[in-house]
Amino acid sequence: MNSDAPAMAEESPPASNPPHHDLPRRHFVLHVLTLAISSIVALVPLVTGLIFVLDPLLRKKKSSGGEFVRVTSTSAIPPNGTPMAFIIRADKQDAWNKFPNSELGSVYLMKNEADEIVCFNARCPHLGCTVDYKSGKDSFVCPCHDSAFKLDGTRTNAIPPRDMDTLEVEVRDDTEVWVRFENFAAGTHDKKPV
Ligand code: FES
């Protein structure tokens, strides 16, 4: 061999050609990526559908407390403190359906000594029957198990676990009586909305 001949550079494989043992790994990574992307694409409509279905339930959970319902006019409430019973009707809605003008319950409206309108839910806090006003006795009495209450709603025997449930009243435009209506759990010492 001629020692004066120019040295030949050693040939190395082109950078774009990976060694053969890297190919299966590349295929595997590509396969995993493809699988991940297809899973995400498939999940998007599923998640969107779930949100659509569950949204009414989630919105219902967020809202608490009763809605104000227009019940009567101020002139319908006797000035002498006699309680008047009223049925409460309003549009009712569960998670998905609306039931217009449904009966939600009943209330007693009356004027107190300060001439303010007060309201009691007529549902007995014992087990949920409707309490009667006994005009002769100036009291409320439940026909089911004899729970009894004074006209200010305080109980006069130990049958009910609590006093009658008061409800918030608003007089609007000087004539309209609105009540924030809600029902409360029967049989509990605390007033728990249901
Ligand atoms: S439900 Fe009223 S006394 Fe029992």
Side-chain angles (χ1 to χ4, degrees), residues 123-131 141-149 157 159-160 186:
R123 197 166 181 251
C124 180
H126 179 226
L127 291 177
C129 293
T130 300
V131 168
V141 177
C142 181
C144 291
H145 315 98
D146 295 329
S147 284
F149 309 86
N157 62 32
I159 299 166

Side-chain angles (χ1 to χ4, degrees), residues 82-146:
T82 302
M84 290 285 291
F86 294 90
I87 303 286
I88 301 293
R89 290 185 173 277
D91 293 347
K92 202 170 162 183
Q93 186 157 8
D94 64 15
W96 292 277
N97 300 304
K98 198 170 185 177
F99 307 94
N101 201 30
S102 302
E103 187 172 322
L104 305 182
S106 56
V107 298
Y108 284 105
L109 284 169
M110 56 195 286
K111 285 192 174 167
N112 64 13
E113 287 173 357
D115 207 32
E116 297 160 335
I117 298 171
V118 293
C119 183
F120 297 110
N121 191 322
R123 197 166 181 251
C124 180
H126 179 226
L127 291 177
C129 293
T130 300
V131 168
D132 292 331
Y133 164 57
K134 298 285 181 190
S135 57
K137 296 181 182 172
D138 262 356
S139 63
F140 296 106
V141 177
C142 181
C144 291
H145 315 98
D146 295 329

